[in-house]
Amino acid sequence: RFLDRNVVNAFVRAGLLYESCEKFKDREYHNAVFVGKDENGVPRHAHKRSLNSLGKTFRINVEGSDPRCSFHYTGTSNRLYVFEAPIDLMSFLSRYPRGWQEHSFVALCGTAEHAMLWMLERNPCLRTVCLCLDHDEAGIEASGRLAEILHEHGYDDVGMLQSEHKDWNEDLKARRGLPVQEAEEHPQLIAASEVCGRIGVYMEECVIPERVGRELTNALCGYEMNLRRDYPEGATTCIELASALALYTYGRGLRQLGEPHSSEELLEQLRSCIHPHQNRSSLNSRTAVLAEQAHAVLKLASKPGIRSEAEKRQLTEGWLELALSCAKISVKYEADVLKQQQKQEQAALQQEMG
């Protein structure tokens, strides 16, 4: 694994890492055991990982472990680094060893938030959190979800660090010139750029300001009709047009509030609001919610009389939320198609090789 000897020894001396030897059916199995202790120094968690680097790696949290007290180290600074696995944590320290004892580190031994929140509760000085999860689909979704949880708990200084390859140990292997598992970008993040690009084209070519309400209604009706006919390509075309209409109107609302944005800025704001962990439900399940959301925005827009500043802002934000809801539908569909294509390519490659 190319872990730095000094880093390994530090955890061994602290009683947080040891090697176990267990017999099963007349064979000996050696595991690295990563220990998590509570605030009194009592071991409460153990994560076993096989020392065998060939084939599928054995790893398990020992039964009865307290998930809050997984493998961790507490330093003196205000910074906490969060990882999926102990090997990831130690690989990161091996890659960036300078002064690491100053900071705090925790391995979730999965992607649940319990150990991270426990560390923060026990150490009020920790205010900056760096999420260092795997650079793959699951890690990206978990990072988004954990960041959301941290914001809900009042932590505003939250950042994300990504390994160049799939995880931090793969980065160590790459430095030695060994074959590595490459990073996997999230299909939704790939699709989001393409979808927002098309929405930008619709904003330039298809939006007629005085007909926004009518065209939006038609686009949403076209989306539902194509969805019922099982014509997803037609449905996504309609929903992207609906997003363009809503985003254009959002931009117009910002201008009225004295906050003008260019089309490029509006599209970037839209793209940056698309988070994969919030966009997992099926397309069919969104129809009723989307119709209700559109109805509420159009009703507010058609309300007679002079609007207050707060009402203008409420309506403007409503247009952005509607544009985002429409865009997320197309992003989810495009990402699902991309994942299916990737699976087919992998299956074809395996068939060729085998």
Side-chain angles (χ1 to χ4, degrees), residues 38-90:
D38 65 15
E39 64 273 23
N40 298 314
V42 178
R44 299 294 185 186
H45 189 282
H47 176 79
K48 289 184 179 180
R49 184 185 178 99
S50 171
L51 294 179
N52 181 18
S53 60
L54 300 176
K56 188 174 182 180
T57 302
F58 168 80
R59 68 188 85 181
I60 191 171
N61 292 327
V62 174
E63 186 176 354
S65 293
D66 185 339
R68 299 174 303 166
C69 303
S70 65
F71 185 71
H72 65 276
Y73 171 86
T74 304
T76 57
S77 78
N78 69 342
R79 184 168 297 181
L80 173 66
Y81 293 83
V82 182
F83 300 84
E84 289 189 33
I87 289 292
D88 298 329
L89 189 161
M90 297 178 71

Side-chain angles (χ1 to χ4, degrees), residues 99-209:
W100 68 264
Q101 293 93 339
E102 300 173 11
H103 309 301
S104 297
F105 305 86
V106 62
L108 304 177
C109 297
T111 58
E113 68 275 12
H114 311 297
M116 175 185 72
L117 294 179
W118 184 81
M119 286 282 289
L120 294 170
E121 290 167 4
R122 296 294 175 183
N123 303 278
C125 66
L126 295 174
R127 301 305 305 173
T128 298
V129 183
C130 299
L131 300 172
C132 310
L133 280 65
D134 288 2
H135 195 159
D136 59 11
E137 182 175 344
I140 291 168
E141 287 195 17
S143 293
R145 182 178 57 81
L146 293 175
E148 201 169 76
I149 291 171
L150 287 166
H151 290 311
E152 290 171 357
H153 281 76
Y155 294 90
D156 298 322
D157 192 1
V158 179
M160 297 184 189
L161 293 176
Q162 284 187 316
S163 54
E164 183 179 350
H165 301 88
K166 182 181 178 296
D167 58 43
W168 300 102
N169 193 251
E170 295 300 314
D171 281 5
L172 287 185
K173 290 162 64 177
R175 294 183 71 196
R176 300 293 186 106
L178 295 178
V180 298
Q181 295 183 62
E182 296 298 336
E184 301 172 8
E185 298 302 334
H186 199 290
Q188 286 200 32
L189 299 181
I190 297 172
S193 295
E194 299 176 359
V195 168
C196 289
R198 293 197 294 268
I199 290 172
V201 173
Y202 289 137
M203 285 176 65
E204 292 180 2
E205 298 181 355
C206 303
V207 174
I208 302 174

Side-chain angles (χ1 to χ4, degrees), residues 212-229 231 234-243 245 287 290-291 294-295 298 322 326:
V212 165
R214 187 189 316 165
E215 293 296 330
L216 177 63
T217 301
N218 291 340
L220 292 175
C221 288
Y223 164 71
E224 292 186 29
M225 180 183 67
N226 282 296
L227 206 58
R228 286 196 300 270
R229 293 178 177 177
Y231 180 37
T236 54
T237 297
C238 290
I239 207 66
E240 287 172 8
L241 175 57
S243 182
L245 290 160
T287 304
L290 183 64
H295 175 73
L298 290 172
L322 181 58
C326 294

